[in-house]
Amino acid sequence: GSTGTPKGVEVPHRAAMNTIDDINDRFAVGPEDRSLTVAALEFDISVYDIFGLYSAGGAVIAVDADDARDPAGWLDLLRTHRASILTCVPSALDMLLTVAEEGSAGLGDSLRAVLLGGDWVGVDLPRRLHALAPGARFAGLGGSTEIAIHGTVCEVVDPPAQWTSVP
């Protein structure tokens, strides 16, 4: 977890596979998909990044140590290798979108699903993603690690131009 002393959590294989199968079915992940892995390997989101794509016959685009904290490097990898799936924390998506918004090439045309987890999702993120990748699906996934990565899925469909958060 992100609070307190880091700890290992024992999760049954069937629970992790249930999550992987559900996400793959829900977002029609298949052999043509590529996932950009920006999450650290010790973070539970990385379980889906790797095993979710491999179980669907897809590919994983690994971010090396030099690009681990460089959203401009992520954007280059996303465009170059035509990532179609991005699973990350909201702050990582915010950084990636900021870099893409500053450039003229945007995100490219390959991204079709962004799956966020691990933290509060800002209401601006769906709109910003939609502006750069109009066809990309956007979902916030949640749940405790103990239930195997994600237990809830909230997909945002057609985000309005102006969203405001409730105080």
Side-chain angles (χ1 to χ4, degrees), residues 33-37 48-49 53 59-62 83-87:
D33 285 304
R34 296 169 183 256
S35 176
L36 179 65
T37 61
Y48 178 77
D49 275 344
L53 271 287
V60 175
I61 304 163
S84 54
I85 308 289
L86 175 64
T87 307

Side-chain angles (χ1 to χ4, degrees), residues 47-137:
V47 172
Y48 178 77
D49 275 344
I50 297 168
F51 298 107
L53 271 287
Y54 286 161
S55 70
V60 175
I61 304 163
V63 175
D64 65 21
D66 293 336
D67 289 327
R69 298 186 187 274
D70 178 20
W74 306 341
L75 182 58
D76 183 52
L77 288 168
L78 186 144
R79 285 193 215 136
T80 301
H81 299 287
R82 302 195 45 77
S84 54
I85 308 289
L86 175 64
T87 307
C88 63
V89 295
S91 59
L93 178 62
D94 177 57
M95 291 186 290
L96 181 68
L97 292 175
T98 298
V99 171
E101 290 162 344
E102 293 170 352
S104 61
L107 288 173
D109 63 355
S110 62
L111 196 59
R112 65 175 200 81
V114 173
L115 313 174
L116 299 182
D119 205 353
W120 177 81
V121 178
V123 296
D124 65 313
L125 292 177
R127 178 186 42 79
R128 290 172 62 204
L129 176 68
H130 184 71
L132 293 169
R137 293 172 69 181

